[in-house]
């Protein structure tokens, strides 16, 4: 579940799709007022503005959903090999970009608005790893079995730290990186 950025709705993923409930005075209404297609399955929800959310089912690339229209408004494309799959998804702090890790070690960046792929890195690690955006940038931190790497969408390895983690989280100012195991 996630609140829209303006706090006006609580959006939840259910077996029947997405359901949105208004939140007058901060409390969700008892019954959802908006049900969005049953084929949208979301393990993760990222609110982008008052009416749009990025949803991810944990398997395919995320979808951009408009709550007001009650449907997907953008899908994204990636050509993966037969044995490749997505590992993790992260959304930039400005809500303009998302990145995904692929089981072959690649990282793909996408412009949320246009759907264009704006970067790719072939890390050569052969694993997907956890992913987190550095706040205020398009740079991501990604885990490997023994390190945490910082990558730009241009393919530049900006830094590397010893040690690894299952999840990554940056402080709001981007000065601290927390590795959760």
């Amino acid at each position: 579940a996630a609140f829209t950025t303006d706090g006006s709705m609580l959006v939840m993923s259910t077996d029947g799709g997405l359901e949105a409930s208004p939140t007058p005075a901060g409390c969700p209404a008892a019954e959802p007022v908006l049900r969005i297609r049953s084929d949208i399955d979301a393990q993760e929800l990222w609110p982008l503005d008052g009416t749009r959310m990025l949803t991810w089912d944990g398997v395919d690339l995320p979808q951009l959903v408009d709550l007001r229209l009650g449907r997907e408004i953008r899908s994204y494309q990636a050509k993966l090999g037969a044995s490749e799959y997505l590992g993790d998804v992260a959304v930039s702090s400005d809500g303009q970009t998302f990145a995904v890790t692929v089981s072959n070690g690649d990282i793909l960046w996408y412009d949320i608005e246009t759907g264009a792929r704006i970067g790719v890195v072939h890390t050569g690690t052969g694993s997907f790893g956890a992913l987190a955006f550095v706040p205020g940038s398009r740079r991501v931190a990604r885990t490997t079995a023994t390190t945490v790497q910082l990558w730009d969408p241009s393919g530049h390895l900006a830094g590397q730290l010893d040690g690894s983690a299952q999840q990554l989280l940056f402080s709001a100012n981007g000065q601290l990186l927390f590795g959760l195991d």
Side-chain angles (χ1 to χ4, degrees), residues 11 20 58 68-69 77 93 99 108 120 127 131 139 144-145 149-150 163:
V11 180
R68 189 175 338 137
L69 298 175
Q77 305 297 317
S93 59
L108 311 174
V120 62
S127 65
L131 195 64
R139 182 176 289 167
T144 72
Q149 301 171 330
L150 296 172

Side-chain angles (χ1 to χ4, degrees), residues 102-106 122-128 142-144 147 149 151:
V102 181
S103 59
N104 66 2
D106 290 355
H122 306 290
T123 68
T125 61
S127 65
F128 55 82
R142 177 196 172 279
T143 62
T144 72
T147 62
Q149 301 171 330
W151 289 97

Side-chain angles (χ1 to χ4, degrees), residues 30-100:
E31 288 295 317
V33 297
L34 181 62
R35 286 179 169 72
I36 300 174
R37 288 191 352 218
S38 61
D39 62 340
I40 296 177
D41 176 29
Q43 288 184 5
E44 301 224 25
L45 299 167
W46 292 276
L48 300 174
D49 56 36
T51 62
R52 298 178 319 138
M53 295 192 118
L54 199 64
T55 68
W56 186 47
D57 64 6
V59 178
D60 298 312
L61 283 171
Q63 300 174 39
L64 182 58
V65 174
D66 188 304
L67 301 172
R68 189 175 338 137
L69 298 175
R71 63 180 177 83
E72 172 190 321
I73 58 173
R74 176 155 332 281
S75 61
Y76 305 90
Q77 305 297 317
K79 293 180 182 174
L80 301 180
S83 63
E84 296 172 345
Y85 55 92
L86 300 179
D88 198 12
V89 174
V91 176
S92 63
S93 59
D94 65 4
Q96 300 297 310
T97 308
F98 76 87
V100 298

Side-chain angles (χ1 to χ4, degrees), residues 102-157:
V102 181
S103 59
N104 66 2
D106 290 355
I107 306 169
L108 311 174
W109 281 260
Y110 290 85
D111 182 282
I112 290 175
E113 221 30 66
T114 67
R117 190 166 76 184
I118 57 173
V120 62
V121 169
H122 306 290
T123 68
T125 61
S127 65
F128 55 82
L131 195 64
F133 270 89
V134 177
S137 78
R138 289 188 172 176
R139 182 176 289 167
V140 295
R142 177 196 172 279
T143 62
T144 72
T146 59
T147 62
V148 175
Q149 301 171 330
L150 296 172
W151 289 97
D152 290 328
S154 64
H156 172 70
L157 178 61

